[in-house]
Amino acid sequence: MRSVRVELFGNDDLLYRFANEAGPKGRVAATRDALYGVVDAVEDPAHTRVTFAGSDPLEHPDFPDVFERCVERGFAGYRLITDGFGLVHEPVREFLKGRDVELLVVFPASDERFYAPAMRTRARFESCRSGLELAAAAGLEPHVVVSLHRFAAGGIDDTLGWLDKHAIAGALVDYPDVRRASGVGAAGLLDYRDAAALTARIFASNRRSRRVSGFAERWAIPPCGADGALDDYGDLFNQRNRHLRARGRDRLVRVAACQTCDLASACGGVESDYVERFGESQLRPIPLVEANGWYTKPINRLDEVSYQRVSPYESRQAPGTLGLLRINGHCNMGCSFCFVDLSHPDEPIADLRAELDALAASGVTELVVSGGEPTLHPNLPDVLRYARTLPFQSIELQSNGVKLANRDFAAEVVDAGIDIACLSLHSHRAEESDRITKRPKAFARTVQAVHNLRDLGVWTRFAHVINRLNYREVPEFVQFVRTEYPTGKLDICFAIAQEISGQTSTWILPTFSEIRPYVKEALDFCLENDIGFSGLIGQGSYPPCMLDGDLKYYERVMHQVYRSANRSEWYKAPRCEGCSFNEHCVGVRRSYVDTYGDDELVPF
């Protein structure tokens, strides 16, 4: 979702007031015409969120009119950043009720001794605190925003205690831009390590009190400077990378720690202004194994997560035949390359039946039931039985197989109506597999599940995601598969870890070039030992030019070039027009090109 910022007052950004000697007295009100101009200039309001900011927008006399102008234009959502002063007035609180506005109140400390230097005022403290309390009592679900500076750190004990006494929906943090906090504000800055420790304290308090955690605007603390304090909130490192890739990457520099850091290829570096201010002695290289251990579930419910339950696909060879139904988002594994919203619960059975009806009516004949982890859905057999009453020619179940290791459960699922099972297994070594999935002892259960399903007459194949933790062992993996299952049909669906959504850890993504020799060796073994393979072309796959255009790797799977309807996230270089495979190749994800460039794309 895009965003537009409407500043009702200039020269008084609340998150940087600690660095503004004038404080709220120095603010300058924008004219109504200027505010209307910002609103009217937005080209796609239906996919844009408005952030009202600049001192306390609620004190601007034209705020109600500007808000109504936004409503008339049909914006997708609204966020209001205030210091709480205007919330004291009941008519203001009534105006905000029922308008679905995310209310963020900058409140660095509940103790006036720390609040005053942070907000450059004592006169407004009581009113701002009262406004915040009244908003909470009125059910407006305010989120407190704490700017990570020494004033907030000094009063953090009292602030966290105060938060627990009021109906505060969340406590977000924001790390100041060192460049904007220079001069008088520089003395208030924290280095990364202290900022990370303060963040961890706030997030831990939120967890105990079931408040929302997250960053308000700038995802700026890198893992190399956090000293391990934020490993339980590893998604913020992914968000930082995406934030800086979209804006501000030109201000990043490499430091000594980057030379041996396993994340260097995906991370742009450290902000140059920070290095100039604090140096680089506290920054350390991060090994990939440590990054893989981060907990990367989204930490901020305020940030929209796209979760599409139904995915019809297009194929030139077989238009409209394949359809995907995700019945939940949660999972009993935690793979760092996973792109699904793991916070999404089980879908109600009535909704799933309606979506199955719609897929069948649209002409889908090959149904794929997936998640999350679909075997965790208590109504999975009912979903499959209902799907069997519709004109689907085949039903495939995608799973990690942990629950299917139970023979009775596997039999129940098979009897309910699956023809195909695609089970995820990402290493041939138990220890490595469990490390990738973050699920101890899962490897043996998945291997047993495949035996169970094959014995029950289900065509079973493997889903093997090639990532930076396992790509060197892909040849050994395919050899293991043939040894473990020496008879009968075998098939492997290879996938390349890619940044499909905001849930994916960028650090886990390999480059196409570094995995090329291992993929080719594995595919040669498959060809020589009657192991079927797929997933190499089509959406989210390996560009054909990465395998030098050798047709033997593609000729059996040309009918599997599936594409989603949304092509905006795909990229082809202009030189791709001259490639013999251009008609069949969907290109690469723009996020991959943003990270690694397009030099690897070589037409053949």
Side-chain angles (χ1 to χ4, degrees):
M1 183 186 296
R2 302 180 183 89
S3 63
V4 61
R5 190 177 179 90
V6 180
E7 299 269 359
L8 283 90
F9 291 96
N11 199 36
D12 187 27
D13 187 330
L14 293 176
L15 292 172
Y16 293 90
R17 191 182 276 175
F18 75 96
N20 183 356
E21 288 188 89
K25 295 179 181 179
R27 70 186 187 186
V28 178
T31 65
R32 179 185 300 192
D33 288 345
L35 296 170
Y36 281 0
V38 174
V39 171
D40 294 343
V42 177
E43 295 181 355
D44 187 14
H47 296 92
T48 304
R49 181 177 65 181
V50 177
T51 296
F52 299 106
S55 197
D56 182 1
L58 298 173
E59 294 181 78
H60 196 290
D62 296 319
F63 173 74
D65 293 336
V66 174
F67 190 96
E68 294 300 339
R69 184 74 161 233
C70 293
V71 172
E72 291 173 6
R73 293 219 60 208
F75 283 90
Y78 304 96
R79 171 176 282 188
L80 172 65
I81 303 178
T82 172
D83 63 2
F85 192 85
L87 294 171
V88 172
H89 306 291
E90 185 176 1
V92 172
R93 299 194 299 273
E94 289 298 319
F95 177 84
L96 293 175
K97 280 185 179 180
R99 293 182 181 270
D100 196 24
V101 179
E102 294 175 2
L103 184 60
L104 273 57
V105 182
V106 179
F107 190 69
S110 63
D111 187 321
E112 185 179 12
R113 293 173 300 166
F114 299 100
Y115 183 95
M119 300 300 282
R120 296 289 172 181
T121 177
R122 289 185 181 274
R124 295 168 67 93
F125 172 68
E126 291 294 343
S127 294
C128 290
R129 185 175 64 180
S130 296
L132 177 54
E133 292 172 353
L134 290 168
L140 292 178
E141 298 185 353
H143 293 73
V144 163
V145 179
V146 178
S147 191
L148 298 172
H149 47 60
R150 67 182 182 88
F151 308 115
I156 191 61
D157 291 332
D158 290 335
T159 302
L160 295 178
W162 181 90
L163 289 174
D164 289 338
K165 297 176 183 177
H166 300 278
I168 306 300
L172 312 181
V173 299
D174 201 84
Y175 188 76
D177 183 337
V178 176
R179 180 180 299 184
R180 293 187 60 186
S182 58
V184 65
L189 294 171
L190 298 174
D191 61 30
Y192 285 145
R193 183 176 297 180
D194 288 342
L198 178 58
T199 299
R201 286 199 60 190
I202 294 171
F203 285 5
S205 175
N206 288 342
R207 180 178 290 176
R208 290 191 297 270
S209 301
R210 298 189 176 183
R211 290 187 295 265
V212 171
S213 292
F215 275 60
E217 294 195 323
R218 296 190 71 249
W219 305 75
I221 301 177
C224 59
D227 198 31
L230 299 176
D231 287 2
D232 284 348
Y233 314 96
D235 187 60
L236 70 87
F237 298 136
N238 299 332
Q239 297 292 349
R240 171 189 179 268
N241 189 54
R242 294 182 181 92
H243 174 85
L244 291 173
R245 193 171 63 198
R247 58 186 75 84
R249 195 159 187 170
D250 58 325
R251 292 169 53 185
L252 302 179
V253 295
R254 296 291 188 184
V255 296
C258 297
Q259 301 301 315
T260 55
C261 181
D262 284 344
L263 315 187
S265 61
C267 174
V270 183
E271 290 178 278
S272 57
D273 299 292
Y274 176 90
V275 176
E276 184 176 342
R277 170 72 184 174
F278 292 106
E280 56 180 273
S281 61
Q282 290 186 349
L283 307 179
R284 65 178 179 87
I286 304 294
L288 188 63
V289 64
E290 178 180 333
N292 184 62
W294 294 336
Y295 188 71
T296 54
K297 180 178 178 179
I299 59 175
N300 188 348
R301 294 199 307 267
L302 297 180
D303 290 332
E304 181 183 14
V305 175
S306 176
Y307 185 79
Q308 187 178 29
R309 295 191 302 273
V310 181
S311 301
Y313 290 91
E314 300 174 8
S315 169
R316 283 202 179 98
Q317 285 71 25
T321 58
L322 180 68
L324 175 70
L325 176 70
R326 297 191 184 279
I327 67 175
N328 58 11
H330 63 99
C331 185
N332 48 8
M333 290 184 173
C335 306
S336 297
F337 49 75
C338 186
F339 59 87
V340 175
D341 176 8
L342 297 179
S343 65
H344 199 90
D346 295 317
E347 286 295 319
I349 183 68
D351 292 349
L352 294 173
R353 286 174 177 164
E355 290 170 352
L356 285 169
D357 289 339
L359 283 172
S362 70
V364 167
T365 57
E366 300 173 26
L367 175 68
V368 178
V369 178
S370 187
E373 175 46 49
T375 61
L376 299 181
H377 197 299
N379 300 119
L380 172 62
D382 295 330
V383 171
L384 296 174
R385 278 189 284 268
Y386 184 77
R388 267 292 166 224
T389 68
L390 300 172
F392 299 120
Q393 295 176 9
S394 67
I395 299 177
E396 175 181 334
L397 179 69
Q398 294 181 344
S399 171
N400 58 39
V402 170
K403 288 192 66 177
L404 294 166
N406 181 295
R407 176 73 179 224
D408 292 339
F409 180 71
E412 181 183 8
V413 170
V414 172
D415 289 343
I418 65 170
D419 305 288
I420 307 167
C422 185
L423 271 64
S424 300
L425 191 65
H426 310 302
S427 176
H428 63 292
R429 296 188 294 118
E431 181 179 352
E432 180 68 10
S433 177
D434 294 347
R435 180 159 65 99
I436 291 173
T437 63
K438 303 185 182 73
R439 171 78 186 218
K441 300 180 180 179
F443 171 82
R445 295 180 66 82
T446 301
V447 170
Q448 181 58 48
V450 176
H451 281 294
N452 289 345
L453 292 169
R454 285 164 62 91
D455 291 345
L456 291 165
V458 174
W459 174 27
T460 304
R461 58 180 176 160
F462 290 95
H464 185 74
V465 178
I466 302 171
N467 61 83
R468 290 190 66 205
L469 289 166
N470 69 2
Y471 73 87
R472 293 181 178 87
E473 299 180 346
V474 176
E476 287 81 4
F477 175 80
V478 297
Q479 294 169 31
F480 159 80
V481 169
R482 184 77 277 176
T483 302
E484 180 71 22
Y485 309 97
T487 62
K489 184 174 182 179
L490 282 178
D491 188 82
I492 302 174
C493 179
F494 291 102
I496 313 299
Q498 296 189 40
E499 191 176 334
I500 298 175
S501 80
Q503 312 310 311
T504 312
S505 295
T506 311
W507 329 111
I508 211 72
L509 313 182
T511 66
F512 295 131
S513 297
E514 64 188 344
I515 68 177
R516 174 195 283 120
Y518 305 98
V519 170
K520 294 183 74 170
E521 183 180 347
L523 296 184
D524 287 339
F525 181 87
C526 289
L527 290 171
E528 294 167 3
N529 291 272
D530 195 27
I531 301 176
F533 53 84
S534 58
L536 292 175
I537 55 176
Q539 180 170 296
S541 60
Y542 203 87
C545 55
M546 292 302 99
L547 295 177
D548 305 317
D550 194 329
L551 191 59
K552 69 180 181 181
Y553 300 128
Y554 301 106
E555 57 187 349
R556 301 183 184 182
V557 292
M558 289 299 297
H559 63 290
Q560 296 176 349
V561 186
Y562 292 108
R563 313 156 190 259
S564 67
N566 179 15
R567 308 288 171 76
S568 61
E569 61 185 279
W570 300 98
Y571 169 88
K572 283 188 177 182
R575 58 185 176 275
C576 293
E577 291 293 329
C579 180
S580 297
F581 222 87
N582 186 45
E583 179 184 356
H584 305 288
C585 178
V586 298
V588 297
R589 293 188 180 274
R590 292 186 183 276
S591 56
Y592 181 91
V593 177
D594 290 341
T595 301
Y596 297 123
D598 70 356
D599 290 345
E600 295 172 293
L601 303 181
V602 181
F604 59 85

